[in-house]
Amino acid sequence: VHIEDSFTTCSGRVIPLQIFVEQENIDKCEHAMLSLQNAMRWDEQVYGREYDLDKFMIVAVNDFNMGAMENKGLNIFNSSCVLAKPETATDSAYERIEGVVAHEYFHNWSGNRVTCRDWFQLSLKEGFTVFRDQAFSADMGSRTVKRIDDVNLLRTLQFAEDAGPMAHPVRPQSYLEISNFYTVTIYEKGAEVVRMIHTLLGEALFRKGSDLYFDRHDGQAVTTEDFVQAMQDASGVDLAQFKRWYNQTGTPELTVTDEFDAVEQRYSLTVKQSTPKQSDELPLHIPLALGLLNPAGEEIHSQVLDVLAAEQTFVFEGIIEKPVPSLLRGFSAPVKLHYGYSREELVFLMKYDSDGFNRWDAGQKLAIAALQKNIQAYQAGDALSLDEMLIDTLRGLLTDDALDKGMLARMLMMPSEAYLGELVAPVDVDAIHSARQFVRVELAKALRNELFDCYQENLSDEDYRPDADEIARRSLKNMCLGYLMLLGEAQVLTLCAAQFRDSNNMTDSNAALSALVHSNYDGAFMEVKAAALDAFYNEWKKDPLVVDQWFSVQASDPSEGVFERVQALMAHEAFDINNPNKVRSLIGVFCNQNRAHFHRADGAGYRFLADRVIELDRKNPQVAARLLTPLTRWRKLTADRSGLMQQQLQRIKAQSALSKDVLEVVSKSL
Ligand code: ASP
Ligand code: ZN
């Protein structure tokens, strides 16, 4: 069955729009339809791209390996990227649908009208289209929050890929199976590369460049080289050195040092770049967005520096007092930046930086310092302790009414275990998990009253709306709830149970369920937890996408016994190894997001994953190869773990009749 609406293009043509779904989902198509109309309008306004056919269709299917596919005129979608109504879909599902519907629609120009000459050019359409959908979502919602979320993903997943055995340039030089190259490097790093071109050219020239690209290559199959060339020809900006971004592997590192000469009133910054993974590296062209703040917190200078050499010094004259630099604003390049900020300077930037992204990032750096101290203390067998400065700063934020709620929610969130693992080698999973858990519990204790008030102030009984303000309010409220539930207080438990029972939307129900399932209560509480899970399942068992959420909540449970529960859930009536969404929501979430348990010391988690990969390889090699990712990171782990992981990779490799997909990933990993 389908719903139908229409869109009138800028030249006045009326395009019928249809979304095809199974009968029981007919009431879950509105958000996708609205997203499609918004995307069509946005592509006309921002890129001057009008739709070209007389009709546009989307079809949702339950079994699909990817998010969706841009087949011309009839986009094929994983139902998880189409179906939403307030009672069944969370805010993040609403956001994902908006982004993916737009992404596939945008491919009509960046992918279909102008397509790839060969598979090595995959990022030509994917990187550019991700850049386009990110900008669209930023325009629909909150710009800074969107940037934070995108960078968070890049820094955890893509940086890890860049540091692992599957590392490859944005334009790969070889592959055995192209399905293995639908990666965060091709997509997300590819989008960052386009974003840097946008930064170097500015809005107007970038638009001139994209117009030229679409005009010049309409109907053709082209290369990333052609894309950059069009940008250069239209703008007059020399991008010759910039092109190296497409060919180099690994995450570049920038080390910044500074000097202040009070007598000469001169401030200078020295920037060194290197790309450790790239043996024959040549310096990249890196746009480094920068601001200088005087001691009163006022911005005295801002600029995008062109970093071109392996080492380069930038001099600023007429600076009377030593400034605090705000570096890599908006994450202007996909690099790791090192600068020796003091804790006081980070707190200062959190307060005064006019760049919202860097305000957040300063907070992350402060939290990372506190976490790393505890990771080391844990390893040394010393007592853990929490930085008072971090507590005070977060308290200040929680009581600051001027702060955007989405920003506050993200500033309260501690860096993930995965990201913390990116920052140190070798990765000590237990130390990272224990330190992070300790810090979260201590923050909850110290900020109990502020979190409690913030939770109460952000309750609402209005109808559900998936707009930026409401999404931000819910994310903040549920962030507070997650912290409060670490305390084991009866009063909080009552609130959480009430939210679970009474909420009118899945965002709040799911958050309450996660908080219940993931919390620190014991004894009789285990029954409350089991009852909540049962109630949830019984209410939603006919809705596969909600059942996926139910699996994920359990797979990400940090408490003891979760591994056994995950194994048992594989035999649950609702689990089906043939369905990619089920595989991802149970096995994928456990192995990727429940690191302390996946990496259990006896190696049973690794054996479990290897068994699933072997089983799946005969049915669905694409999903099997992707599922394998956590094992490929064995070199980063401490010796006790890495040996066990390696053994499982060898066991997979020894299987007869392995698919090309899995064979490529295992061979490159070993
Ligand atoms: N091209 C799709 C996308 O990224 C993915 C796929 O090939 O299925 O939109
Ligand atoms: Zn795509």
Side-chain angles (χ1 to χ4, degrees):
V1 296
H2 70 274
I3 66 159
E4 180 158 341
D5 204 333
S6 69
F7 177 77
T8 306
T9 72
C10 50
S11 72
R13 291 186 306 116
V14 178
I15 313 291
L17 310 175
Q18 299 176 322
I19 300 181
F20 291 81
V21 296
E22 317 240 11
Q23 176 72 60
E24 65 270 23
N25 294 322
I26 195 74
D27 60 343
K28 297 185 196 138
C29 301
E30 240 169 78
H31 178 63
M33 181 62 85
L34 186 65
S35 304
L36 175 59
Q37 291 161 327
N38 287 337
M40 293 178 87
R41 189 170 316 110
W42 189 90
D43 212 17
E44 290 182 348
Q45 287 167 353
V46 180
Y47 281 85
R49 300 294 115 198
E50 184 180 359
Y51 186 59
D52 50 2
L53 301 181
D54 295 331
K55 185 179 186 182
F56 187 86
M57 295 170 286
I58 283 176
V59 58
V61 298
N62 287 332
D63 300 87
F64 201 72
N65 280 354
M66 311 283 273
M69 179 65 209
E70 67 265 23
N71 307 73
K72 180 117 186 158
L74 170 56
N75 287 183
I76 303 185
F77 269 68
N78 187 319
S79 55
S80 69
C81 299
V82 177
L83 304 178
K85 63 177 177 181
E87 302 79 55
T88 62
T90 60
D91 289 338
S92 45
Y94 271 83
E95 290 177 322
R96 179 156 164 77
I97 290 164
E98 180 177 72
V100 178
V101 166
H103 178 97
E104 304 311 328
Y105 174 74
F106 296 156
H107 267 318
N108 190 54
W109 277 95
S110 49
N112 295 346
R113 289 286 287 250
V114 182
T115 195
C116 303
R117 188 190 69 184
D118 51 70
W119 286 122
F120 298 108
Q121 321 300 328
L122 188 55
S123 195
L124 171 78
K125 73 178 178 85
E126 296 305 349
F128 185 26
T129 306
V130 171
F131 172 71
R132 277 151 57 69
D133 82 55
Q134 289 177 346
F136 166 75
S137 295
D139 283 349
M140 296 293 120
S142 156
R143 181 165 301 279
T144 306
V145 166
K146 173 69 179 148
R147 188 65 187 139
I148 289 171
D149 291 348
D150 290 340
V151 173
N152 232 340
L153 182 97
L154 184 91
R155 286 205 298 215
T156 12
L157 303 184
Q158 199 280 325
F159 282 14
E161 183 166 272
D162 247 349
M166 285 295 289
H168 54 276
V170 170
R171 183 173 54 196
Q173 267 112 25
S174 68
Y175 61 84
L176 189 59
E177 174 48 67
I178 187 61
S179 299
N180 285 332
F181 286 82
Y182 282 74
T183 59
V184 274
T185 299
I186 301 290
Y187 278 67
E188 271 71 25
K189 186 174 180 180
E192 292 299 321
V193 171
V194 177
R195 176 182 300 274
M196 287 189 284
I197 297 180
H198 184 274
T199 302
L200 292 170
L201 270 56
E203 185 71 44
L205 289 178
F206 183 85
R207 170 64 193 271
K208 259 182 99 182
S210 71
D211 282 350
L212 178 63
Y213 169 71
F214 288 126
D215 285 351
R216 187 185 267 176
H217 299 297
D218 193 8
Q220 296 179 0
V222 302
T223 64
T224 52
E225 187 85 18
D226 294 321
F227 178 81
V228 181
Q229 196 60 46
M231 288 290 166
Q232 171 165 313
D233 292 349
S235 66
V237 175
D238 180 0
L239 295 172
Q241 184 177 343
F242 183 84
K243 286 181 190 164
R244 290 177 190 157
W245 276 103
Y246 285 91
N247 297 317
Q248 293 203 10
T249 307
T251 306
E253 305 212 9
L254 290 186
T255 306
V256 180
T257 49
D258 59 354
E259 238 175 278
F260 177 63
D261 185 332
V263 178
E264 298 292 329
Q265 302 190 348
R266 177 181 300 143
Y267 178 67
S268 51
L269 277 176
T270 298
V271 183
K272 287 187 195 161
Q273 60 163 301
S274 69
T275 308
K277 262 256 164 163
Q278 181 75 31
S279 48
D280 55 349
E281 68 171 306
L282 292 163
L284 294 162
H285 182 178
I286 302 174
L288 177 62
L290 146 110
L292 298 179
L293 279 67
N294 71 15
E298 293 152 354
E299 180 164 304
I300 48 171
H301 185 77
S302 92
Q303 183 186 354
V304 179
L305 304 173
D306 283 289
V307 177
L308 296 160
E311 179 171 343
Q312 207 169 337
T313 299
F314 299 89
V315 179
F316 306 87
E317 306 283 355
I319 310 283
I320 358 182
E321 293 166 290
K322 184 177 189 309
V324 177
S326 165
L327 298 162
L328 203 68
R329 282 182 156 179
F331 203 67
S332 62
V335 300
K336 292 185 183 168
L337 186 132
H338 309 285
Y339 173 82
Y341 284 114
S342 67
R343 281 151 70 239
E344 289 74 12
E345 285 171 327
L346 292 172
V347 173
F348 174 87
L349 287 174
M350 285 175 81
K351 206 158 169 185
Y352 296 113
D353 201 334
S354 62
D355 184 70
F357 176 84
N358 268 10
R359 271 211 315 277
W360 168 79
D361 203 32
Q364 292 288 293
K365 290 193 175 92
L366 191 67
I368 287 166
L371 284 155
Q372 281 180 329
K373 222 179 108 227
N374 281 301
I375 292 171
Q376 282 154 13
Y378 180 93
Q379 288 168 327
D382 295 341
L384 308 192
S385 65
L386 185 53
D387 180 5
E388 288 292 332
M389 202 182 254
L390 180 66
I391 300 176
D392 290 342
T393 310
L394 293 180
R395 178 177 292 120
L397 297 175
L398 268 164
T399 47
D400 174 358
D401 293 333
L403 199 62
D404 174 83
K405 293 181 185 200
M407 272 291 274
L408 177 54
R410 275 147 188 90
M411 292 182 105
L412 289 172
M413 188 172 358
M414 290 298 106
S416 67
E417 291 179 25
Y419 185 53
L420 291 168
E422 269 317 290
L423 302 174
V424 287
V427 176
D428 182 338
V429 187
D430 298 326
I432 291 177
H433 179 71
S434 305
R436 185 172 185 276
Q437 201 56 16
F438 169 82
V439 166
R440 292 181 68 237
V441 171
E442 290 306 303
L443 283 175
K445 285 186 196 159
L447 301 173
R448 191 259 175 216
N449 293 342
E450 290 82 358
L451 289 163
F452 196 85
D453 291 347
C454 184
Y455 175 78
Q456 298 280 8
E457 281 157 21
N458 285 291
L459 291 169
S460 154
D461 47 20
E462 282 180 39
D463 283 348
Y464 176 86
R465 287 196 320 276
D467 59 38
D469 288 346
E470 283 291 284
I471 291 177
R473 182 184 58 74
R474 283 187 289 271
S475 69
L476 176 56
K477 178 188 68 174
N478 290 325
M479 178 62 61
C480 294
L481 182 63
Y483 272 111
L484 290 166
M485 283 290 283
L486 297 170
L487 297 171
E489 277 180 29
Q491 188 188 7
V492 177
L493 179 55
T494 310
L495 282 180
C496 186
Q499 175 171 326
F500 177 64
R501 197 182 53 231
D502 303 335
S503 99
N504 65 357
N505 67 81
M506 182 51 81
T507 307
D508 288 339
S509 314
N510 182 302
L513 180 68
S514 304
L516 283 170
V517 172
H518 298 178
S519 63
N520 281 349
Y521 299 79
D522 46 356
F525 175 71
M526 294 311 283
E527 283 162 35
V528 178
K529 178 167 163 170
L533 281 167
D534 284 349
F536 190 89
Y537 179 71
N538 285 325
E539 185 169 359
W540 297 113
K541 61 181 163 199
K542 293 219 175 65
D543 191 320
L545 296 173
V546 185
V547 175
D548 291 346
Q549 299 173 46
W550 182 77
F551 279 125
S552 296
V553 167
Q554 296 176 83
S556 52
D557 178 358
S559 54
E560 282 314 312
V562 59
F563 178 54
E564 290 71 19
R565 290 193 293 277
V566 166
Q567 284 175 299
L569 282 168
M570 301 252 322
H572 192 275
E573 60 172 7
F575 186 77
D576 177 6
I577 196 144
N578 296 309
N579 177 254
N581 290 353
K582 290 282 174 292
V583 170
R584 281 188 281 261
S585 59
L586 184 62
I587 308 169
V589 168
F590 176 73
C591 299
N592 287 291
Q593 288 170 39
N594 207 339
R595 293 165 64 101
H597 292 281
F598 169 64
H599 290 282
R600 41 188 284 151
D602 65 1
Y606 308 144
R607 212 172 319 115
F608 168 75
L609 177 55
D611 285 341
R612 301 294 78 77
V613 169
I614 292 166
E615 180 183 358
L616 258 174
D617 192 42
R618 292 179 218 119
K619 302 161 178 282
N620 189 339
Q622 289 185 12
V623 171
R626 207 161 282 252
L627 200 61
L628 185 50
T629 308
L631 279 178
T632 66
R633 305 282 152 78
W634 62 275
R635 277 175 217 274
K636 284 215 68 170
L637 274 286
T638 43
D640 54 333
R641 304 303 209 286
S642 66
L644 294 167
M645 294 170 86
Q646 205 184 352
Q647 274 171 25
Q648 293 307 317
L649 285 168
Q650 270 149 356
R651 184 161 73 88
I652 298 172
K653 196 172 177 207
Q655 299 292 312
S656 58
L658 269 193
S659 68
K660 265 202 290 183
D661 307 62
V662 169
L663 184 64
E664 177 170 36
V665 179
V666 222
S667 314
K668 285 185 175 162
S669 306
L670 278 167

